[in-house]
């Protein structure tokens, strides 16, 4: 598996000032750094890089910053996924590689939002694949359910 940054975001904000601090986010804040204007693309890129390389974060912290339902979190998730290169991999192999680096945690909706970003990235890396982003997402969710059914039994 190789990693690279490919995607770019062109966020616009009315203010030239920094919209918040990553240190606040490190302590577990749910601030979105938007302050009433469009999310700061540069801050999203920096946070995504720090999350990917675990600079000041633990692996278990990553999901918290990618799965929220706001513009900033979506930008961070997209930037984070841009570090993964799934080119030439089957969907199941790409999903395995992704889940080795990223512990998928959180509520169901948060997990699904992350899997949507995974599916988009998979399709971006494999434009010749015979599936759409929706198809890749459906298959990804099916694989996750099969894995849960296979390994999620509770002993009584």
């Amino acid at each position: 598996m190789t990693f690279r940054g490919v995607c770019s975001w062109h966020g616009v904000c009315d203010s030239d000032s920094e919209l918040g601090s990553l240190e606040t986010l490190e302590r577990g804040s749910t601030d979105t750094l938007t302050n009433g204007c469009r999310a700061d693309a540069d801050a999203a890129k920096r946070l995504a890089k720090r999350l990917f390389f675990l600079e000041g974060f633990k692996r278990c912290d990553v999901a918290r910053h990618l799965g929220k339902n706001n513009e900033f979190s979506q930008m961070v998730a997209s930037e984070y996924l841009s570090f993964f290169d799934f080119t030439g991999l089957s969907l199941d192999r790409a999903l395995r590689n992704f889940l080795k680096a990223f512990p998928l945690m959180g509520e169901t909706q948060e997990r699904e939002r992350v899997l949507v970003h995974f599916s988009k990235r998979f399709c971006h890396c494999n434009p010749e694949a015979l599936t759409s982003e929706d198809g890749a997402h459906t298959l990804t969710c099916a694989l996750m359910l099969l894995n849960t059914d296979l390994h999620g039994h509770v002993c009584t």
Side-chain angles (χ1 to χ4, degrees):
M1 172 173 56
T2 59
F3 305 99
R4 63 180 173 176
V6 176
C7 298
S8 64
W9 284 87
H10 303 296
V12 177
C13 182
D14 296 330
S15 168
D16 291 335
S17 66
E18 192 71 20
L19 297 176
S21 75
L22 296 178
E23 289 73 30
T24 302
L25 286 175
E26 264 187 83
R27 291 192 299 268
S29 170
T30 57
D31 292 340
T32 62
L33 302 183
T34 57
N35 279 353
C37 65
R38 227 169 140 197
D40 184 0
D42 290 335
K45 286 180 182 182
R46 287 191 305 271
L47 179 56
K49 183 179 179 183
R50 291 183 61 206
L51 289 168
F52 184 79
F53 291 106
L54 300 175
E55 296 171 358
F57 295 95
K58 297 177 187 168
R59 282 187 43 170
C60 60
D61 295 332
V62 177
R64 181 180 57 210
H65 295 287
L66 306 186
K68 300 298 179 200
N69 191 21
N70 60 56
E71 184 181 2
F72 183 73
S73 183
Q74 291 174 14
M75 292 170 69
V76 172
S78 185
E79 289 295 330
Y80 179 84
L81 264 293
S82 73
F83 285 98
F84 292 87
D85 183 5
F86 302 127
T87 303
L89 297 178
S90 63
L91 184 65
D92 63 318
R93 172 71 90 207
L95 183 59
R96 281 189 199 109
N97 287 350
F98 176 61
L99 294 176
K100 283 180 189 173
F102 176 81
L104 189 60
M105 301 172 5
E107 297 178 14
T108 302
Q109 295 95 350
E110 293 172 338
R111 291 177 185 205
E112 187 187 354
R113 283 190 283 271
V114 171
L115 292 177
V116 166
H117 287 286
F118 164 81
S119 300
K120 287 179 182 179
R121 180 64 182 163
F122 176 81
C123 288
H124 176 80
C125 292
N126 295 290
E128 74 291 342
L130 299 176
T131 187
S132 64
E133 287 179 13
D134 287 341
H137 180 65
T138 300
L139 290 171
T140 298
C141 289
L143 287 169
M144 294 299 295
L145 285 173
L146 288 171
N147 188 52
T148 300
D149 288 346
L150 182 62
H151 299 290
H153 298 292
V154 177
C155 296
T156 55

